Amino acid sequence: MATVKNVAEIAKVNVSTVSRYLSGELSVTPETEQRILDAIKQTNYQPNIIAQGLRRGRSRTIVVVAPDIYQPGISGIISGIDRRIQDSRFILITVMTQGSSRRELKILRTLSTMMASGVVLIGHPFGQINSTEMIRDAIGMEPSLVYVSRTFQESNVLEVCPDQLSGMQQITDHLIEKGHRSIGLIVGVNEHPDALIKIRGYKRSLTAHNIEIRDDLILEGFFRPEETRAATDVLLERNVDAIICTSDLMGISALQHLQNKKLSIPDDIAVAGYGGTIWADLVTPKLTTVAVQVEELGQYAAGLLLDEIEGNDLDSNFAIRPVSLRLGESV
């Protein structure tokens, strides 16, 4: 098995130069870098990341903890994180919680033994994890930590969030400008922090236009087609003329369910989604939605995390990234 010494001999550099280059502690000239890379390829040398971590006290790994990597928004965030760290000497590991706070805590306790340099937590799990103190108790104090779309607004941790409040106001304002006055809202889960922010934006828009707020028009779809269809039926019984869903997939479920009932979209009833995913453009009519720039969100979060790991000064620990209305044909 090839060793650092073998690589150093072929590259004609010191062993310490190879070791420090591989650990990211040393910058070398392009010519030296190419000799080292050629030597690694020639010898098929495989760096031992764990051993390097033991020597430095941290491994050069960044761990992403996400509810479900198959959700379009989350996969986009992870893609952005990966793009941002490609030019660094870190590797990315992604694990899923399936939205469970119990599973998240179990994962975080496991990560405490991995000596990761940084951890990215995406979204709020369902459960009682409601402070950085709980997370630090599980993971320890060492890894740098950044939240994406998990709003604790604590001064001692990095947070990056899309502007969900503005996004929901924008889509509700748009429907009102189109003449709609009885607007139903289907969220994932009412008490989820993300849903609470969106409900606040929805209500703020209604209030600004002097439209009565009716809590009976705010229903849960649990991000599943069957429950979304059931919520859509209830809203129809309550005579809404428009429906906003807080995810594009729920919006598509509602739209197709209404079409199956022989209702014309948007002539009989308008439907809007949230997220700006590719799925919004794959239905007829195209779904009007709020576009969240998820890759940019991931890149921005990864940049903050790398800066903190390297000890660089940060302008702010909390960043709200803009969202925008993306018009389709469903409103």
Side-chain angles (χ1 to χ4, degrees):
M1 180 181 293
T3 66
V4 174
K5 184 177 180 181
N6 301 139
V7 174
E9 289 174 349
I10 294 173
K12 295 182 172 54
V13 295
N14 294 328
V15 171
S16 63
T17 299
V18 176
S19 295
R20 293 178 65 199
Y21 167 77
L22 291 175
S23 68
E25 298 172 6
L26 178 68
S27 295
V28 296
T29 65
E31 294 80 6
T32 301
E33 180 177 42
Q34 191 58 54
R35 292 206 309 274
I36 293 173
L37 293 175
D38 288 343
I40 289 172
K41 184 176 181 180
Q42 181 178 333
T43 60
N44 196 30
Y45 172 67
Q46 301 293 324
N48 189 325
I49 294 173
I50 299 300
Q52 291 175 2
L54 286 170
R55 288 193 294 271
R56 287 194 313 273
R58 290 286 109 195
S59 68
R60 297 198 71 84
T61 56
I62 290 175
V63 180
V64 175
V65 182
D68 182 354
I69 63 173
Y70 299 107
Q71 293 181 21
I74 291 175
S75 63
I77 292 171
I78 295 171
S79 177
I81 294 169
D82 184 61
R83 285 178 183 273
R84 180 62 181 81
I85 72 167
Q86 278 180 2
D87 295 331
S88 72
R89 302 196 189 284
F90 291 91
I91 62 169
L92 193 67
I93 298 173
T94 303
V95 291
M96 291 191 297
T97 67
Q98 304 299 340
S100 164
S101 60
R102 179 177 296 181
R103 177 166 169 77
E104 181 174 279
L105 283 173
K106 181 179 179 180
I107 289 168
L108 292 176
R109 292 187 183 109
T110 301
L111 292 181
S112 68
T113 66
M114 287 182 58
M115 298 182 298
S117 291
V119 176
V120 182
L121 293 175
I122 300 177
H124 285 269
F126 296 104
Q128 300 303 314
I129 299 179
N130 54 19
S131 71
T132 299
E133 182 179 359
M134 293 182 67
I135 292 168
R136 284 298 185 191
D137 283 345
I139 200 173
M141 298 303 295
E142 289 299 325
S144 295
L145 183 64
V146 62
Y147 301 145
V148 182
S149 295
R150 179 185 296 217
T151 310
F152 289 159
Q153 294 190 17
E154 298 175 346
S155 60
N156 61 340
V157 68
L158 303 175
E159 297 185 26
V160 181
C161 298
D163 196 345
Q164 308 286 39
L165 186 69
S166 170
M168 188 52 67
Q169 284 184 256
Q170 288 181 51
I171 192 67
T172 309
D173 285 347
H174 178 63
L175 284 162
I176 294 170
E177 289 164 5
K178 286 287 189 176
H180 299 284
R181 291 295 181 271
S182 182
I183 303 170
L185 177 64
I186 301 178
V187 301
V189 179
N190 273 337
E191 296 305 315
H192 193 274
D194 185 70
L196 292 174
I197 294 172
K198 290 174 180 174
I199 290 170
R200 195 160 77 243
Y202 161 81
K203 289 183 175 181
R204 184 175 292 184
S205 176
L206 295 179
T207 300
H209 291 87
N210 297 313
I211 296 175
E212 178 189 4
I213 294 172
R214 291 178 52 188
D215 288 332
D216 66 322
L217 298 187
I218 302 173
L219 301 177
E220 295 173 309
F222 299 99
F223 301 108
R224 294 191 291 262
E226 184 175 350
E227 284 84 349
T228 301
R229 290 192 291 267
T232 300
D233 285 336
V234 173
L235 291 175
L236 281 177
E237 292 171 1
R238 294 173 183 172
N239 298 314
V240 300
D241 56 20
I243 296 174
I244 303 171
C245 295
T246 59
S247 80
D248 284 343
L249 292 181
M250 287 198 299
I252 291 168
S253 294
L255 184 149
Q256 292 177 334
H257 184 57
L258 292 166
Q259 288 176 323
N260 289 337
K261 289 178 169 291
K262 309 303 181 185
L263 292 172
S264 175
I265 312 296
D267 296 334
D268 295 327
I269 185 170
V271 181
Y274 200 105
T277 63
I278 188 174
W279 310 112
D281 291 335
L282 299 181
V283 291
T284 303
K286 291 181 179 180
L287 189 68
T288 290
T289 183
V290 175
V292 178
Q293 304 302 322
V294 288
E295 284 210 16
E296 190 274 341
L297 202 66
Q299 289 187 40
Y300 193 93
L304 287 180
L305 187 65
L306 290 173
D307 281 341
E308 180 167 275
I309 291 171
E310 300 298 337
N312 299 330
D313 291 334
L314 300 173
D315 293 332
S316 173
N317 282 4
F318 185 69
I320 296 179
R321 308 304 296 163
V323 299
S324 59
L325 188 64
R326 195 173 84 196
L327 300 180
E329 300 155 349
S330 62
V331 173

